[in-house]
């Protein structure tokens, strides 16, 4: 063997093992040519207009780059064949174009000779949108026709009634915060029927149960969702609020396996999108998997599950730092508020389906329901709406002994609690001060969910610890206990317990 050939084999780690090669082996070509992505350029262009007049300053994107329309409402964007949609960030002051409550703000790219033209026609709102409301539906998660009928019969009708209870022409929109169905794509039709019943336009977030589970990579997992609802990340505006929807469910290529993660492509897009927004603006970001929760602490675990929080959330926080931000999430089937610094509040929502349609509550005792947000300028106020119950239903009181670890105490679950709430109690009309907050299991959740045989529908459901339980020890001769909870906006909610009988008191 020549010295030159020996040196070559050594560089491959093959010298000294007695291998010989035919002259053509080291020059062999693959039997099947590799099929790479089509990166050919596509020029996107068009106009955003209303009543025939162009609208300036509207953000237009292919999900990679963001441009804004000129003074005549025109745009041009150099894209490539990997982009499948072109879409706009609907500007404030315009209606949300929708088909039976499903918003449509995008066009599917079908290039001809390297070009595609997409015009977007908008309609001016009849009223000022500085004041408006929105709701967050987390985890409808229907897996059967029975679930679907319950969604339409109860949840959708409840939302319809809620909206009708506000003054006529109050602006409302909804955000479906992921897990719209439970892997059963044929039920997307039922989900859309439920939204149509509600009568308000909805924007959608992709959840881990809305993905194509037979995809080989994350990119392919969103195909059905995109077919029905458009892009998985986008933005829009109403009044003084900039809304962003993100896809933080990263599918790892095997059925039902995922992590909470924001891709570089998405973060790069978000950075461009937020560059169009004035610092100090209130930004509402909706995603499915929470950026963060403290459930692992309540479960006495060292760290959160990689499928339960966003692993690279710090970059999201950094991008939101110049703004006043609210993060809307679901996924967990419990209710929690997370505060990140002085400018970010995360609202982890209890679910529309509760504990997977097994009963009236989530497994932390939060009723099945959804978040309601009332916007006035740049400020948000909010409450949790329990399905089928009055908006004043914000706590549940339990008699002495209901919590086994606190046998001498009255307990109350205040599911939308945050540190600005004050939870007090009165004994026979006498002020007794604030109740003590502790982590524990909600007694109703224990009754409905604990044990191998229940709930019969999904036997794997179990009660989970919550940190919005409050306790007080009444005297032996007490006859009436009143719990009074005051939220951060000064609203007061009360429940009354008399001789172990719970009576709802609405004031």
């Amino acid at each position: 063997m020549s010295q030159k050939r020996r040196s070559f084999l050594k560089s491959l780690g093959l010298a000294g093992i007695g291998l010989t090669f035919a002259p053509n082996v080291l020059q062999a070509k693959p039997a099947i040519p590799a099929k790479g992505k089509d990166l050919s350029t596509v020029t996107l262009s068009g106009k955003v207009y209303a009543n025939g007049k162009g609208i300036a300053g509207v953000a237009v994107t292919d999900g990679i780059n963001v441009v804004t329309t000129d003074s005549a409402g025109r745009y041009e964007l150099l894209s490539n064949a990997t982009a499948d949609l072109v879409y706009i960030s609907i500007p404030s002051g315009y209606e949300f174009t929708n088909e039976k409550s499903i918003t449509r703000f995008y066009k599917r790219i079908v290039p001809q000779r390297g070009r595609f033209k997409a015009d977007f026609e908008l309609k001016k709102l009849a009223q000022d949108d500085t004041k408006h409301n929105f709701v967050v539906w987390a985890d409808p998660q229907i897996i059967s026709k029975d679930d679907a009928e319950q969604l339409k019969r109860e949840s959708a009708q409840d939302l319809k009634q809620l909206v009708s209870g506000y003054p006529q022409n109050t602006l409302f929109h909804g955000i479906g915060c992921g897990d719209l169905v439970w892997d059963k794509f044929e039920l997307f039709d039922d989900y859309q029927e439920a939204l149509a019943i509600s009568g308000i336009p909805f924007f959608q977030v992709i959840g881990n149960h809305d993905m194509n589970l037979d995809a080989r990579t994350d990119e392919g997992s969103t195909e059905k969702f995109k077919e029905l609802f458009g892009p998985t990340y986008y933005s829009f505006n109403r009044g003084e609020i900039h809304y962003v929807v993100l896809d933080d469910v990263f599918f790892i290529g095997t059925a039902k396996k995922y992590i909470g993660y924001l891709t570089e492509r998405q973060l790069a897009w978000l950075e461009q999108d937020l560059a169009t927004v004035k610092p100090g603006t209130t930004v509402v970001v909706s995603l499915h998997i929470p950026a963060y929760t403290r459930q692992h602490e309540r479960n006495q675990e060292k760290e959160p599950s990689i499928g339960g929080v966003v692993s690279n959330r710090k970059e999201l926080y950094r991008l939101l730092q110049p703004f006043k931000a609210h993060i809307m999430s679901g996924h967990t089937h419990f209710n929690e508020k997370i505060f990140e610094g002085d400018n970010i509040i995360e609202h982890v929502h209890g679910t529309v389906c509760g504990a997977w349609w097994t009963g009236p509550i989530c497994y932390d005792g939060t009723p099945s329901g959804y978040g309601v947000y009332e916007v006035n300028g740049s400020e948000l106020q909010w409450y949790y709406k329990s399905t089928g119950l009055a908006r004043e239903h914000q706590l549940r009181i339990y008699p002495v002994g209901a919590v086994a670890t606190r046998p001498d105490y009255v307990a109350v679950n205040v599911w939308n609690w945050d540190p600005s709430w004050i939870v007090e109690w009165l004994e026979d009309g006498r002020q007794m001060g604030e109740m003590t907050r502790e982590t524990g299991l909600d007694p109703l959740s224990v009754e409905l969910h604990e044990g191998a045989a229940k709930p019969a529908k999904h036997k794997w459901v179990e009660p989970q610890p919550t940190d919005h339980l409050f306790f007080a020890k009444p005297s032996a001769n007490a006859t009436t206990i009143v719990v009074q909870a005051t939220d951060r906006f000064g609203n007061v909610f009360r429940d009354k317990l008399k001789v172990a009988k719970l009576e709802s008191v609405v004031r």
Side-chain angles (χ1 to χ4, degrees):
M1 185 183 294
S2 70
Q3 183 64 37
K4 183 177 181 181
R5 186 172 180 79
R6 189 180 302 278
S7 298
F8 175 72
L9 292 177
K10 186 177 180 181
S11 72
L12 296 178
L14 301 175
I17 59 176
L19 294 181
T20 60
F21 297 88
N24 64 339
V25 169
L26 298 176
Q27 302 170 13
K29 296 180 179 179
I32 302 174
K35 296 177 70 175
K37 284 188 176 181
D38 181 359
L39 297 176
S40 58
T41 59
V42 177
T43 300
L44 308 174
S45 64
K47 185 175 183 178
V48 183
Y49 65 97
N51 293 324
K53 184 179 180 181
I55 307 170
V58 178
V60 185
T61 183
D62 59 353
I64 304 169
N65 294 306
V66 178
V67 298
T68 54
T69 55
D70 64 15
S71 59
R74 295 170 301 200
Y75 73 91
E76 186 168 286
L77 172 61
L78 186 62
S79 184
N80 67 62
T82 65
D84 48 9
L85 300 168
V86 57
Y87 46 102
I88 63 171
S89 183
I90 303 171
S92 297
Y94 293 87
E95 293 184 4
F96 295 146
T97 302
N98 67 92
E99 297 174 6
K100 296 181 179 180
S101 292
I102 305 297
T103 52
R104 305 296 186 200
F105 52 93
Y106 56 90
K107 301 286 178 70
R108 190 162 297 279
I109 299 171
V110 185
Q112 296 290 332
R113 297 179 181 177
R115 300 191 69 87
F116 180 70
K117 184 178 181 182
D119 293 338
F120 296 89
E121 182 177 9
L122 300 178
K123 185 177 180 181
K124 193 77 175 174
L125 279 168
Q127 75 250 56
D128 177 61
D129 60 358
T130 303
K131 288 187 176 182
H132 65 272
N133 300 338
F134 67 96
V135 301
V136 176
W137 264 22
D139 302 71
Q141 202 154 344
I142 49 179
I143 199 172
S144 66
K145 278 293 184 180
D146 286 344
D147 291 354
E149 289 306 312
Q150 190 172 351
L151 176 70
K152 288 182 274 189
R153 183 179 65 251
E154 298 178 5
S155 306
Q157 292 291 349
D158 187 88
L159 177 52
K160 181 180 179 180
Q161 183 177 355
L162 174 88
V163 172
S164 67
Y166 280 80
Q168 190 174 6
N169 297 323
T170 298
L171 289 171
F172 258 97
H173 68 274
I175 298 169
C177 211
D179 283 1
L180 313 179
V181 297
W182 190 351
D183 303 328
K184 302 291 187 180
F185 288 176
E186 64 271 21
L187 297 176
F188 273 129
D189 288 342
D190 295 274
Y191 171 72
Q192 293 180 74
E193 288 172 14
L195 299 191
I197 291 169
S198 78
I200 65 173
F202 260 77
F203 296 85
Q204 316 305 330
V205 179
I206 190 169
N208 51 288
H209 287 292
D210 305 317
M211 302 186 304
N212 298 62
L213 297 179
D214 57 353
R216 71 178 188 178
T217 62
D218 180 62
E219 287 85 351
S221 69
T222 60
E223 287 180 357
K224 186 63 177 180
F225 182 93
K226 285 184 174 182
E227 176 190 323
L228 294 173
F229 306 117
T232 61
Y233 57 92
Y234 54 93
S235 69
F236 60 96
N237 303 273
R238 174 142 282 183
E240 297 179 16
I241 311 298
H242 183 67
Y243 292 87
V244 175
V245 168
L246 297 175
D247 169 8
D248 66 347
V249 183
F250 191 89
F251 179 67
I252 61 173
T254 183
K256 301 188 179 183
K257 299 293 185 181
Y258 56 87
I259 62 174
Y261 184 78
L262 294 167
T263 63
E264 172 59 31
R265 176 165 168 166
Q266 194 170 178
L267 288 170
W269 169 86
L270 179 60
E271 197 159 22
Q272 295 174 79
D273 177 77
L274 292 177
T276 69
V277 181
K278 181 180 177 182
T281 297
T282 297
V283 176
V284 173
V285 178
S286 297
L287 35 71
H288 179 61
I289 296 174
Y292 192 65
T293 88
R294 292 192 169 84
Q295 187 67 359
H296 65 289
E297 297 176 7
R298 296 188 286 275
N299 290 337
Q300 298 183 346
E301 298 165 348
K302 289 183 178 180
E303 58 186 20
S305 160
I306 61 172
V309 299
V310 177
S311 299
N312 56 342
R313 61 188 172 274
K314 288 184 179 179
E315 181 60 17
L316 175 62
Y317 294 155
R318 185 188 72 79
L319 293 176
L320 293 176
Q321 195 59 43
F323 309 98
K324 184 177 180 180
H326 293 265
I327 299 175
M328 308 290 166
S329 59
H331 187 58
T332 64
H333 297 253
F334 58 72
N335 213 61
E336 183 178 11
K337 296 288 185 288
I338 297 291
F339 293 80
E340 176 64 28
D342 296 328
N343 70 315
I344 299 175
I345 303 175
E346 179 162 12
H347 308 259
V348 184
H349 291 82
T351 55
V352 172
C353 72
W356 295 270
W357 301 107
T358 61
I361 61 171
C362 304
Y363 53 43
D364 69 336
T366 299
S368 307
Y370 50 96
V372 184
Y373 297 83
E374 301 173 334
V375 180
N376 185 2
S378 63
E379 298 300 317
L380 274 63
Q381 293 193 14
W382 56 86
Y383 61 93
Y384 187 86
K385 177 63 175 68
S386 302
T387 303
L389 298 169
R391 66 177 283 178
E392 291 81 10
H393 183 65
Q394 296 294 323
L395 56 98
R396 186 188 307 112
I397 187 172
Y398 294 101
V400 170
V403 177
T405 57
R406 295 289 184 272
D408 300 323
Y409 288 73
V410 167
V412 61
N413 193 334
V414 187
W415 41 81
N416 216 31
W417 174 87
D418 70 52
S420 293
W421 284 58
I422 300 172
V423 182
E424 304 166 291
W425 67 296
L426 295 83
E427 181 180 282
D428 295 328
R430 185 162 47 100
Q431 292 280 355
M432 302 297 290
E434 293 190 36
M435 301 182 76
T436 302
R437 184 172 66 92
E438 296 182 21
T439 296
L441 300 178
D442 176 84
L444 181 56
S445 182
V446 170
E447 179 182 341
L448 296 177
H449 303 145
E450 190 171 66
K454 55 184 181 181
K457 186 174 182 178
H458 299 304
K459 295 181 180 180
W460 42 265
V461 174
E462 288 290 336
Q464 295 289 323
T466 179
D467 60 5
H468 43 68
L469 284 178
F470 293 80
F471 294 87
K473 186 177 182 180
S475 58
N477 59 352
T479 60
T480 303
I481 301 296
V482 172
V483 174
Q484 176 174 294
T486 306
D487 71 9
R488 60 168 44 232
F489 309 113
N491 301 306
V492 179
F493 309 101
R494 298 182 179 90
D495 260 4
K496 182 180 180 181
L497 181 72
K498 188 174 183 179
V499 192
K501 182 180 179 182
L502 179 63
E503 299 174 2
S504 228
V505 178
V506 178
R507 291 191 174 95

